Amino acid sequence: MSVEVRAWVSAGWTGAVAALLAVGSLTLLDAVAECTVVLALGFLAYSIRSVFRARSLRAMSRWATAMGCFPVGPAALAWPWQNLQLQGSSRVRYAWSGDIEGLPVTFGEVQWSGGAFSGAVVDRDGKGSFVVVGLPQTQPPMAARLPYKFIGDSPRLEQPALRHAFRIMEIPPFTVRDTELFTVEARDEALDPGSAYRAIQRALLVVRLLDVGPDRPQVAA
């Protein structure tokens, strides 16, 4: 069952429970009825939230499909940060994959706790967008961390354009391991096409500034 379907199912059953509680409160004693109404309002709020989430996921799914991407199960992939987290935990909620600008790209929403992405995001607990970009060749380990720290001895990290872009936050913190580059950016709201597109473009800009993407075609003189 997809995340979108689960959200619609959640909206349906919580809405039904809210309606039943509201109807039942009419036949109960005043003291009990008040508690029942409070419960009904709680289920109703959750149902409304689930509806908005389902609609957001539907918009994301349609946009991703238009981009030539397809949904992937979070358990089907080995995420590049799993072996790097020294504390806390993280869980991918949903993701899509496809070829974008000549590179394999996977993006979606991730939730974390206990400082699992310390240095990449400010909050110890939260959620946000992630982007994983497949690289044509294996690269030495390198990363950029908040507030302004570069990790690794690759000369690619010394490029002025890269450092300037990170200083002004034109690009997010990033990590490169072997043939993958990934970014994680905190976001309280549900992921939408606009924010997903921006996250992807910011990650691809890191690839270009590091010059670790596909070889550029030679233009004949």
Side-chain angles (χ1 to χ4, degrees), residues 24-101:
S25 67
L26 300 177
T27 62
L28 298 173
L29 298 175
D30 290 344
V32 179
E34 290 179 2
C35 294
T36 305
V37 169
V38 171
L39 286 173
L41 291 175
F43 277 102
L44 179 60
Y46 189 87
S47 178
I48 293 173
R49 180 176 178 274
S50 296
V51 168
F52 279 107
R53 179 172 174 78
R55 294 182 65 179
S56 176
L57 287 169
R58 181 171 60 185
M60 275 296 305
S61 181
R62 290 176 175 175
W63 175 79
T65 300
M67 289 280 290
C69 300
F70 55 90
V72 294
L77 299 177
W79 302 107
W81 52 78
Q82 289 177 334
N83 295 328
L84 302 178
Q85 292 174 341
L86 303 179
Q87 59 184 350
S89 61
S90 62
R91 180 169 69 96
V92 173
R93 303 293 301 275
Y94 50 85
W96 290 268
S97 287
D99 289 338
I100 300 177
E101 296 188 13

Side-chain angles (χ1 to χ4, degrees), residues 81 90-93 108-112 117 126-128 130 184:
W81 52 78
S90 62
R91 180 169 69 96
V92 173
R93 303 293 301 275
E109 182 180 278
V110 63
Q111 189 170 7
W112 66 88
F117 290 115
K127 69 176 182 178
F130 74 86
V184 176

Side-chain angles (χ1 to χ4, degrees), residues 136-185:
Q137 297 180 342
T138 300
Q139 300 295 329
M142 64 183 100
R145 293 288 180 265
L146 297 172
Y148 185 72
K149 180 180 180 181
F150 293 89
I151 302 171
D153 55 8
S154 171
R156 297 180 187 277
L157 293 174
E158 302 299 327
Q159 300 185 68
L162 173 78
R163 290 180 171 259
H164 176 70
F166 186 56
R167 183 181 293 110
I168 64 174
M169 295 309 296
E170 185 179 5
I171 59 174
F174 62 85
T175 303
V176 176
R177 284 294 184 277
D178 298 326
T179 58
E180 291 180 308
L181 177 148
F182 71 86
T183 63
V184 176
E185 300 187 65

